[in-house]
Structure formats: structure tokens, C-alpha cells
Amino acid sequence: MIQTRENIVWVRNAAGELEAFDEERLAESVRRAAGASEDAVMIADAVAGAVFHYARDHAADRTVTVGEIAEMVEALLLMLGFDEASQQYGGEIRLDELAARNTVGFELAFYGELRQALTSALPRQAVRLSGLRACVLRLRGTQRWGVSCRRLAEEILGFVYAQAARARTMNLAVVE
């Protein structure tokens, strides 16, 4: 389906790039946090629709950031009585997008960005990390997974776990 110009909402991702708002993708994300119950499925669709309509009608230039969407979803889930789901929704740190941001200082800059992302995620109880494989391949400058890629992935996970252990309040889920 092609959306009319008046119905397009843009999302600015962590790398600063714009992508079209995907209501179904947001609903699926909320469903994962809220569980598989019938109520959770209905709530996920309603929350995704509400966030889209709010962004379309009230956001400057019809552009929202990933962080703003997460805050809206958490607030809506909390208002609707899905306290645990709002805590579980938490934030997502896209490692591949962090790696894509850095062109100077590559690996060192990546760890600085990752530390900053984890620090800003401290108030949340749950944080999901995704894009590890793509991140490692980008940092290594290769298209094939090898021994050095495995070592770098282990180093990144070790760094993340060490940061989470220092925070003592964060539950991590590493995807991919």
C-alpha cells in the first residue's frame, strides 16, 4: 500500500537516518514485551496506532526519534495497566547502527558510543541489544565471519556485561 504524503511519519534512528514509520513493526515489538495473551495483542495494535497518529498529528515535520517512540510506548503501557510490559519494553540498542555512526576512531569510538548508550539506558530495567553480527562484520571490515569476528563479538559482549554488572539494575537480552 502506498501512503499519501499526509500520512507519512518519519523515524530518525540512532544513526541519524530517516526511515518510514512501520506501525506493524512497532506493534510486534509491543507484543513481544506484553506477552501472548489476547489482551496483549489488542493493546499492542492500539498502542502502535496511537503512537503513529500522535506522531502524524503533533510531531514537528512528522519526524520522531526511536527514543521518543520508546518513551511513548512505555507511558501508554503504564497508563493501560501493563506495568510489567512497560518495564520489559525498555529500550533497544542497535549495535549495527552504533558501528555505522563511527568513521573516525572506528572501534574506540564504537566503545565510547556503546558506553554512552548503556549509560542512557540505565533508568530502564530491561535493555535489548541487537545487530551484533552486522556490527562485528562492519567493525572488522569483512563480509565473512571468522575467528577474529568471534573474538570481537565476545569482547563486545564482555564489555556490555561488565557495564551491566556495574549498574546492577539492568537486565539484558542480546538478540542475534
Side-chain angles (χ1 to χ4, degrees), residues 109-172:
F110 167 76
Y111 280 106
E113 293 278 338
L114 181 54
R115 178 181 288 115
Q116 185 178 16
L118 289 167
T119 301
S120 68
L122 280 177
R124 304 177 194 278
Q125 280 193 319
V127 176
R128 187 173 46 255
L129 298 170
S130 61
L132 177 62
R133 183 178 179 81
C135 167
V136 169
L137 290 173
R138 182 173 188 93
L139 290 174
R140 280 288 173 242
T142 185
Q143 294 180 353
R144 298 187 64 186
W145 191 265
V147 174
S148 68
C149 294
R150 183 181 53 79
R151 273 193 234 118
L152 179 58
E154 290 170 358
E155 287 174 19
I156 291 170
L157 291 176
F159 177 82
V160 168
Y161 293 142
Q163 295 293 314
R166 279 192 201 107
R168 296 181 191 180
T169 60
M170 190 184 307
N171 295 320
L172 293 171

Side-chain angles (χ1 to χ4, degrees), residues 15 17 94-103 106 110 134-135 138-139:
E17 301 165 346
R94 301 262 332 177
L95 297 171
D96 54 340
E97 291 176 1
L98 287 177
R101 275 195 227 170
N102 301 306
T103 55
F106 223 40
F110 167 76
C135 167
R138 182 173 188 93
L139 290 174

Side-chain angles (χ1 to χ4, degrees), residues 8-28:
I8 293 180
V9 173
W10 296 102
V11 177
R12 186 172 307 281
N13 63 24
E17 301 165 346
L18 291 176
E19 43 186 84
F21 186 96
D22 186 348
E23 199 171 333
E24 184 54 38
R25 182 175 166 193
L26 179 58
E28 181 59 35

Side-chain angles (χ1 to χ4, degrees), residues 48-59:
V51 169
F52 172 79
H53 287 289
Y54 178 82
R56 184 190 67 194
D57 297 339
H58 300 289

